[in-house]
Amino acid sequence: MKIIVLAKQVPDTNEVTIDPVTGTLIREGVPSILNPDDANALEEALALKDQNPGTTVSIISMGPPQATYMLRECLSMGADDAYLLSSRAFAGADTAATSTTLAAGVKKIGDYDLIFAGRQAIDGDTAQVGPQTAQRLGIPSVSYVQKIREVKDKTIVVERALEDGFEVIEVQKPCVLTAIKELNMPRYMTVKQIEDAYAKEISVWDEKDLNVSPDKVGLGASPTQVAKSFTPPPKGAGEMLSGTVPEMAATLVAKLNEKHVL
């Protein structure tokens, strides 16, 4: 079985701030990490590799040259090979253009049975790239996967998380599955695995390698337009009520009336 994992290097959002003048994210000096949901996707691919001898796991990502550090981390966890789609032509891409590029990369790798991706990236929270990539590849997809129940010759049975439970879906292979954190706990790397990862070569492909036209990728092929990004103002301090339950209830109702909430 051959598995491909879509991964993204993202800024550590706990440390990202927004330029008040330009309204853009300030990324300089901010550490980058493997997107958390993508770590769960990789772990599930590696778990299937452990359970099925002969299985290979490939990592593919679109990003700047420094994304190779994140790919080395994925190799250290147990992935077999890694591919970076990197070019100025890919810059400024929204989810539509990103999925076009990733689909082209997947086609170039070829011969796959499953594609795993994280549910969403923490720097965008759109949850669109996985399903859009599946659409461009012409294969089915299941999002919010919380458990792999059974892998069959031609299908795979999974649990898809819902707000009030889950549903069991049997989907035809090849397919795209997007993972949530409840799916598993990503494994740790060993020193030996890290050493081995840095001995491996990472393939770097641009638009020529993928045989895609520059006007089909990047900013020019992105229909999404972000008008403004801003940090919401901090909320005021809360007010604690005291007294008996009836007294606090009466006070709360009075205050809500004052604010015309009721």
Side-chain angles (χ1 to χ4, degrees):
M1 183 164 56
K2 186 169 183 178
I3 303 175
I4 297 176
V5 179
L6 310 182
K8 184 180 182 182
Q9 185 185 55
V10 296
D12 188 336
T13 52
N14 289 328
E15 301 185 35
V16 167
T17 56
I18 295 178
D19 188 316
V21 178
T22 64
T24 59
L25 293 178
I26 300 175
R27 296 177 182 265
E28 291 76 12
V30 179
S32 296
I33 60 174
L34 169 63
N35 182 57
D37 283 353
D38 295 345
N40 295 111
L42 174 58
E43 172 58 35
E44 199 62 24
L46 295 174
L48 289 177
K49 176 184 175 182
D50 294 339
Q51 298 164 14
N52 300 274
T55 296
T56 61
V57 176
S58 300
I59 303 293
I60 185 168
S61 180
M62 188 190 85
Q66 58 264 33
T68 54
Y69 293 105
M70 177 272 295
L71 290 174
R72 298 269 180 211
E73 179 181 346
C74 296
L75 291 171
S76 299
M77 290 175 66
D80 297 284
D81 44 41
Y83 305 85
L84 176 61
L85 313 181
S86 186
S87 169
R88 294 186 66 86
F90 303 151
D94 66 356
T95 60
T98 297
S99 61
T100 297
T101 304
L102 288 172
V106 169
K107 289 178 181 178
K108 185 173 176 63
I109 295 174
D111 187 29
Y112 56 89
D113 300 288
L114 292 172
I115 298 176
F116 279 98
R119 169 191 55 176
Q120 61 189 41
I122 59 175
D123 61 345
D125 290 337
T126 63
Q128 295 172 351
V129 171
Q132 285 180 336
T133 302
Q135 182 181 27
R136 299 192 187 287
L137 292 171
I139 60 177
S141 67
V142 180
S143 57
Y144 293 81
V145 173
Q146 68 174 19
K147 184 179 180 180
I148 304 294
R149 284 202 171 192
E150 183 180 4
V151 180
K152 302 180 181 180
D153 289 339
K154 296 184 178 181
T155 63
I156 183 169
V157 183
V158 303
E159 290 183 9
R160 180 177 187 270
L162 304 175
E163 291 183 357
D164 56 352
F166 65 88
E167 60 182 348
V168 178
I169 300 176
E170 182 172 4
V171 59
Q172 193 79 20
K173 296 191 296 184
C175 61
V176 173
L177 306 175
T178 70
I180 59 176
K181 64 180 181 180
E182 289 80 8
L183 181 59
N184 53 48
M185 177 65 71
R187 64 191 65 189
Y188 289 100
M189 301 168 283
T190 67
V191 174
K192 181 63 167 60
Q193 287 175 314
I194 295 174
E195 291 178 349
D196 292 343
Y198 275 85
K200 292 183 177 181
E201 183 176 346
I202 294 176
S203 299
V204 181
W205 294 336
D206 60 15
E207 68 276 13
K208 295 179 181 178
D209 297 310
L210 299 181
N211 194 27
V212 294
S213 174
D215 62 351
K216 300 296 183 181
V217 295
L219 182 61
S222 300
T224 306
Q225 300 296 321
V226 179
K228 182 180 181 182
S229 298
F230 63 93
T231 302
K235 296 181 179 179
E239 180 181 351
M240 299 295 293
L241 303 179
S242 60
T244 65
V245 173
E247 289 172 343
M248 289 189 292
T251 302
L252 177 59
V253 171
K255 290 184 177 295
L256 292 177
N257 277 321
E258 288 177 6
K259 297 179 180 295
H260 303 290
V261 176
L262 298 178

